[in-house]
Amino acid sequence: MSPITDLVSSYNLPLVALSILVAVFSASVALDISSRLKYAKNVSHLRWITAGAFILGLGIWSMHFIGMLAFHLPVEVSYHFGLVLLSIVPAVVSCAIAFYLISKPAVTWRNLFTGTFFISAGIVSMHYLGMGAMRMDAMISYDPLMWALSALIAFAASFIGLALLFYIPNVPRFHWRKLAGAVLIGLAVSGMHYTGMAAADFSQMGHSAVSHSAPFSVNSTLLAYGIGGGMLMLFVLTLASVRSDRRLEMQSEESEMKFQSVIESAKDAIIVADFQGAIVQWNQGAETIFGYSEKEILGRNISVIIPDRFKEAHNKGMEAYRKTREPHVIGSTVELTGSRKDGSEFQLEMSVGTWETEKGVFFSSVIRDITERKASEDKINDLVYLDPLTGLPNRRLFNDRLDSLLRQADERGLNFSLFYMDLDNFKMINDRFGHSIGDLFLQSVASRLEAQISPKDTLSRLGGDEFILLLPNTEYSKAADRAQELIKALNAPFRFENEEIFTSVSVGISMFPFDGDDSETLVKNADIAMYQAKEGGKNAFQFFTREMNETIDRKSRLATGLRKGLEHGEFTIHYQPQISLKTEQIIGVEALLRWNHPEWGTISPAEFIPIAEETGSITKIGEFVLEEACRQNKYWQDIGLAPFRVAVNISARQFAQKDLTEIVSAILKKTGLAARYLELELTETIIQNADSAITTMEELAALGVHLSIDDFGTGYSSLSYLKLFPIDSLKIDQHFTRNIKSDSKDAALVKTIIRMAHDLELNVIAEGVETEEQLEFLKTEQCNQAQGYYFNRPLPAQEIEDIYYTTKPARCAFSK
């Protein structure tokens, strides 16, 4: 037996220091990697566990291998390459277990001790596999006590390292605790290695026949430095990568925090859903708008915020996108209806985007509650398209619907009717009750009219008391029936301020296509027909006819001619003598206007005077008549005719002029005629507003002008006002005079008017005397004066002079 000799070992201290430095540095890198694990997910999480396991495992293995190379024996030592590589496995696996444990959100003491056991077992296995890889002319034996101590140190080192890997990463990016932790882990792992080395006894046999060929052909010391340097370089690069990744992640986290802050502070709802429609993100704006908290909405399908009646369409759209990936709503802004938690619905505006990551496809929706905006738009539309008083369509909306109906009717060959309606006595109601009641009255009228029409019809208020109605698909008979229904509906009394108000309506109807094929013509012709209904007695309807158009055309041309007639001298004054029934002498004349049109010849005053009243031309024409009559009367006086009064009719528009008294006074002054020789004839309708009429009449009477009421008995004035009016005469309307012998009632009225006038000490004159019988009746009833064809027709001024200079019957003689 060969003698056994104990070998004395020694260490290369620089390599020992290098081994410890490698252990400390690898621990430092491992601590940085461990800080990534708490936030990494899925693939990134697995990547960091793998990287941490290899970095720390290789660090521990490198420290062990460099420490082995630092160990020096007096015999040649080589290593089994396979066992050296195999010793890496338990180091990496044990580190993988460590990183897996610390990657959990929370680690219990039980987890720490279990993990420590497996990690320490891996480290011990790595150490003694590495020891077993030594090839030399010596045997290795272990001191049981020191071996146990090395295992205990491995356990303690594993526990300390595991705890530090879990807790240390929570401190800032560089902190003395991390440095201390890395040093502690490095010393603990190194301590286990060198304790294990101390547990080994090496002994040499005297003459070993075994030949050991070294697998390494390089110097062990240089190899140790090379491995150490390489590992340090690897650790440096890994640490740099970790730090760089950490900076990028911190920047990403900062950006994400800013983005999240913006999302949470946004008033709009920002919702993220996955490819299946499950909600994965829900901001405060969404909670405010929809009423769901983040806790109760996450994971639910986005269709929860869609009304039930729209869910099927939504699901079909999502399914179509999943199959084709062709966007329809994505990338655009649309207006939809949303559903809140309480089931209420509202209008929303939504912008949808999509993106794809390793986790799949996601949809982001930015949703804005546009309830107030839509309400504002509706209000603006109401202002633009609806009448503010009645809520009916206004002229603009009516024209839009009329144009649309015209297109449809023209394409399909359909008929329709257009009603133009005007209340017959609205002005009187408005004047009597005031504008506030007038507005309520119009609203009530609109409600009644609306109750008579169907949803397909269009009723519009054009303004004032004018309404217009569009009835699709109606013939003449149906239009007539509908018009009668409308008239009947408005004939029922309205009640305001405990008083019944009655009204009526005049309706003009035009038919498409017979009365026009465009909107302007149809409205114009219905308007013409409405005026015909008014002239026919009101409270009736009238279809448009071609004859009406000709009448309106003539009226229009006459209205234009009236304005030019004064300038061109087309108007003349004729005078009809007024006779005293006692003396049968002329005591005055009535000035009557005549128009000789250059194209149409003589035009009746009954035709052009109403047109002049309507157009306002009557004021200038009236001033012309007044001035011409005064001038002519003064001329007659100047040439020697016995003075008499000239009577001039005053129109309603003239009487309404605030400066009427000043105008009359100026004309009298201009012509030089004394006021007592001018008589102004006023109709009852002019003086219906008694208070203002009395004031004007008193001013005229103060000038010395005589005043008379013309056509007495045809108006509606209260007889009580006669005692208040400063008038001189009443004129009996010619209608009563002509029927004296044929109508006993007219005869009775004439008698009554004459007696009443005498009782009021008023002069009375009868118009329209044409027969001897009429004259004798008036004389018998003691009527003061008369005029008519029995005496003379209206005559030009020259013929009045001829009456004076030529011998005439006594009844036509001038009073001297």
Side-chain angles (χ1 to χ4, degrees):
M1 178 177 291
S2 302
I4 299 175
T5 305
D6 291 332
L7 300 177
V8 179
S9 62
S10 62
Y11 284 96
N12 186 328
L13 293 181
L15 287 180
V16 170
L18 178 61
S19 69
I20 296 173
L21 180 61
V22 168
V24 171
F25 205 79
S26 64
S28 176
V29 175
L31 287 174
D32 269 339
I33 290 176
S34 66
S35 66
R36 322 307 305 142
L37 289 173
K38 292 186 181 297
Y39 309 104
K41 297 178 180 179
N42 301 327
V43 176
S44 179
H45 181 261
L46 180 62
R47 186 182 72 233
W48 283 116
I49 288 178
T50 303
F54 272 97
I55 292 299
L56 186 58
L58 289 174
I60 294 173
W61 178 84
S62 298
M63 182 280 305
H64 166 78
F65 193 74
I66 294 172
M68 291 287 290
L69 295 176
F71 183 72
H72 179 68
L73 290 173
V75 295
E76 185 179 355
V77 180
S78 62
Y79 294 90
H80 189 280
F81 188 71
L83 289 177
V84 170
L85 292 180
L86 183 61
S87 66
I88 296 176
V89 175
V92 172
V93 170
S94 64
C95 290
I97 294 173
F99 280 105
Y100 172 75
L101 289 174
I102 66 170
S103 66
K104 293 184 176 182
V107 176
T108 63
W109 288 105
R110 181 178 178 181
N111 289 339
L112 282 175
F113 281 107
T114 302
T116 298
F117 173 77
F118 284 106
I119 294 169
S120 60
I123 294 175
V124 169
S125 299
M126 176 209 69
H127 176 78
Y128 289 104
L129 273 174
M131 294 289 289
M134 296 178 70
R135 295 292 181 263
M136 56 188 169
D137 290 332
M139 296 178 61
I140 303 176
S141 61
Y142 293 96
D143 182 346
L145 182 62
M146 292 298 291
W147 187 94
L149 180 61
S150 69
L152 183 62
I153 293 174
F155 187 88
S158 299
F159 182 83
I160 294 171
L162 199 59
L164 288 175
L165 286 174
F166 180 77
Y167 291 110
I168 290 298
N170 293 323
V171 301
R173 72 172 72 174
F174 180 79
H175 196 272
W176 65 269
R177 292 182 184 177
K178 280 191 177 182
L179 179 60
V183 171
L184 185 58
I185 293 173
L187 291 177
V189 172
S190 301
M192 177 270 159
H193 170 75
Y194 287 108
T195 302
M197 292 297 292
D201 290 326
F202 297 90
S203 57
Q204 184 179 27
M205 298 178 65
H207 300 282
S208 177
V210 180
S211 175
H212 303 280
S213 59
F216 300 103
S217 59
V218 295
N219 182 277
S220 299
T221 302
L222 292 178
L223 180 61
Y225 282 117
I227 292 174
M231 292 306 300
L232 287 176
M233 183 65 69
L234 175 62
F235 296 155
V236 168
L237 293 175
T238 303
L239 180 61
S241 176
V242 170
R243 292 293 174 87
S244 176
D245 182 82
R246 184 171 183 178
R247 283 195 299 272
L248 291 175
E249 186 168 337
M250 289 184 66
Q251 292 175 0
S252 176
E253 288 177 357
E254 184 179 355
S255 298
E256 186 175 351
M257 289 176 62
K258 291 179 180 178
F259 179 67
Q260 193 66 28
S261 175
V262 172
I263 288 177
E264 290 302 323
S265 63
K267 293 183 178 180
D268 293 342
I270 300 177
I271 305 170
V272 178
D274 63 19
F275 200 54
Q276 303 305 318
I279 297 172
V280 298
Q281 189 168 10
W282 182 268
N283 75 334
Q284 186 63 40
E287 182 174 338
T288 301
I289 292 175
F290 290 98
Y292 294 98
S293 67
E294 184 179 21
K295 182 178 180 181
E296 61 186 338
I297 198 68
L298 290 182
R300 298 180 66 178
N301 196 278
I302 191 134
S303 62
V304 72
I305 63 174
I306 299 173
D308 291 341
R309 64 184 185 278
F310 299 127
K311 285 183 178 179
E312 184 177 353
H314 166 75
N315 292 334
K316 287 182 178 179
M318 289 290 290
E319 188 62 30
Y321 179 76
R322 292 188 187 104
K323 290 180 179 179
T324 64
R325 296 297 182 94
E326 294 181 1
H328 294 284
V329 176
I330 295 171
S332 59
T333 301
V334 294
E335 292 185 4
L336 301 170
T337 301
S339 177
R340 295 188 176 93
K341 181 181 178 180
D342 59 8
S344 61
E345 296 183 0
F346 66 101
Q347 293 297 109
L348 58 85
E349 181 182 80
M350 180 175 70
S351 300
V352 183
T354 183
W355 73 90
E356 186 170 359
T357 67
E358 59 186 16
K359 300 177 183 179
V361 177
F362 293 89
F363 302 96
S364 63
S365 303
V366 179
I367 297 174
R368 176 171 297 173
D369 185 346
I370 58 173
T371 303
E372 292 185 3
R373 191 184 82 188
K374 298 299 287 186
S376 298
E377 290 176 357
D378 291 342
K379 187 174 182 180
I380 292 172
N381 286 335
D382 287 348
L383 293 174
V384 174
Y385 293 109
L386 297 183
D387 172 52
L389 179 63
T390 63
L392 295 175
N394 60 13
R395 187 187 299 270
R396 176 178 293 182
L397 181 55
F398 178 83
N399 287 337
D400 288 346
R401 293 187 179 177
L402 176 55
D403 291 339
S404 176
L405 184 58
L406 278 168
R407 289 191 297 270
Q408 294 177 18
D410 188 52
E411 291 172 359
R412 302 175 186 176
L414 302 177
N415 300 333
F416 67 85
S417 60
L418 189 150
F419 288 21
Y420 203 109
M421 299 175 286
D422 185 87
L423 301 180
D424 294 326
N425 58 341
F426 176 69
K427 186 178 185 304
M428 183 183 70
I429 295 171
N430 215 27
D431 291 343
R432 180 180 177 186
F433 294 97
H435 291 289
S436 59
I437 295 297
D439 288 347
L440 292 175
F441 174 73
L442 287 175
Q443 290 172 350
S444 298
V445 168
S447 297
R448 283 198 190 177
L449 293 176
E450 275 192 296
Q452 302 300 316
I453 65 174
S454 65
K456 65 181 180 179
D457 304 330
T458 299
L459 175 65
S460 171
R461 176 173 176 250
L462 298 183
D465 60 342
E466 292 183 326
F467 296 84
I468 195 165
L469 176 63
L470 201 57
L471 298 174
N473 197 25
T474 51
E475 302 290 346
Y476 278 95
S477 59
K478 187 176 180 180
D481 292 340
R482 297 294 295 277
Q484 195 60 53
E485 291 170 2
L486 294 171
I487 292 171
K488 182 180 179 181
L490 293 187
N491 282 339
F494 296 82
R495 180 169 289 277
F496 292 98
E497 297 185 345
N498 297 320
E499 186 172 347
E500 287 187 336
I501 299 176
F502 291 87
T503 190
S504 60
V505 63
S506 297
V507 183
I509 307 172
S510 61
M511 304 293 297
F512 175 86
F514 313 106
D515 301 327
D517 57 3
D518 62 84
S519 58
E520 184 177 354
T521 303
L522 287 168
V523 173
K524 182 193 73 172
N525 290 343
D527 189 22
I528 292 171
M530 183 271 293
Y531 276 105
Q532 286 297 112
K534 280 190 176 294
E535 291 179 4
K538 304 179 180 180
N539 197 33
F541 68 89
Q542 178 70 57
F543 284 98
F544 173 79
T545 62
R546 297 296 174 187
E547 291 74 16
M548 293 179 189
N549 209 19
E550 293 172 1
T551 301
I552 293 297
D553 181 63
R554 178 174 172 83
K555 281 186 176 181
S556 178
R557 295 174 67 184
L558 285 176
T560 303
L562 281 171
R563 290 192 293 269
K564 297 179 179 179
L566 281 176
E567 301 173 4
H568 297 164
E570 297 171 9
F571 291 99
T572 58
I573 309 295
H574 285 203
Y575 301 90
Q576 186 173 38
Q578 296 174 333
I579 308 300
S580 171
L581 296 185
K582 286 185 178 180
T583 64
E584 294 193 3
Q585 293 180 334
I586 298 175
I587 51 85
V589 292
E590 180 180 3
L592 299 170
L593 184 64
R594 295 294 180 264
W595 183 14
N596 185 26
H597 193 278
E599 181 181 349
W600 300 323
T602 301
I603 301 173
S604 169
E607 183 179 13
F608 73 78
I609 290 297
I611 297 174
E613 287 272 10
E614 186 177 339
T615 60
S617 302
I618 195 67
T619 54
K620 288 188 177 181
I621 293 175
E623 290 181 22
F624 163 76
V625 174
L626 183 62
E627 183 174 341
E628 182 63 20
C630 290
R631 185 198 61 75
Q632 183 63 50
N633 198 11
K634 184 64 172 68
Y635 172 77
W636 285 328
Q637 293 178 11
D638 292 344
I639 63 174
L641 272 66
F644 53 83
R645 282 191 301 273
V646 60
V648 178
N649 288 282
I650 297 297
S651 72
R653 282 183 177 267
Q654 280 181 286
F655 192 80
Q657 290 177 285
K658 294 181 179 180
D659 58 347
L660 176 62
T661 304
E662 287 78 4
I663 292 173
V664 173
S665 177
I667 289 175
L668 289 173
K669 184 176 181 180
K670 180 179 180 180
T671 59
L673 181 69
R676 65 180 180 276
Y677 296 117
L678 173 64
E679 180 177 341
L680 300 180
E681 295 186 358
L682 313 174
T683 63
E684 283 186 271
T685 54
I686 290 176
I687 56 177
Q688 282 181 5
N689 190 349
D691 294 336
S692 61
I694 290 174
T695 301
T696 302
M697 293 169 72
E698 288 176 345
E699 292 175 352
L700 292 170
L703 292 177
V705 173
H706 283 245
L707 301 175
S708 65
I709 296 180
D710 195 16
D711 301 332
F712 187 79
T714 60
Y716 304 95
S717 294
S718 172
L719 295 177
S720 64
Y721 285 116
L722 286 178
K723 66 179 182 179
L724 302 176
F725 293 151
I727 56 176
D728 302 291
S729 302
L730 292 180
K731 295 189 73 174
I732 301 173
D733 185 75
Q734 59 184 346
H735 173 78
F736 303 129
T737 303
R738 288 171 182 169
N739 296 327
I740 286 175
K741 288 300 182 180
S742 61
D743 191 327
S744 60
K745 292 183 179 180
D746 282 348
L749 283 172
V750 171
K751 290 179 182 180
T752 301
I753 293 172
I754 292 173
R755 284 197 297 270
M756 182 181 64
H758 289 167
D759 291 342
L760 293 172
E761 299 180 351
L762 298 175
N763 184 55
V764 60
I765 181 170
E767 294 182 302
V769 177
E770 297 180 353
T771 66
E772 185 75 30
E773 291 80 5
Q774 294 168 355
L775 177 62
E776 291 305 319
F777 178 89
L778 293 171
K779 284 183 177 181
T780 301
E781 296 301 324
Q782 297 182 348
C783 183
N784 300 112
Q785 297 148 16
Q787 69 183 78
Y789 284 3
Y790 178 76
F791 304 104
N792 288 105
R793 292 175 177 273
L795 303 171
Q798 183 60 46
E799 293 189 27
I800 295 294
E801 296 174 23
D802 293 342
I803 293 175
Y804 182 84
Y805 291 113
T806 306
T807 301
K808 295 289 180 182
R811 66 174 181 269
C812 295
F814 278 85
S815 175
K816 297 281 187 171

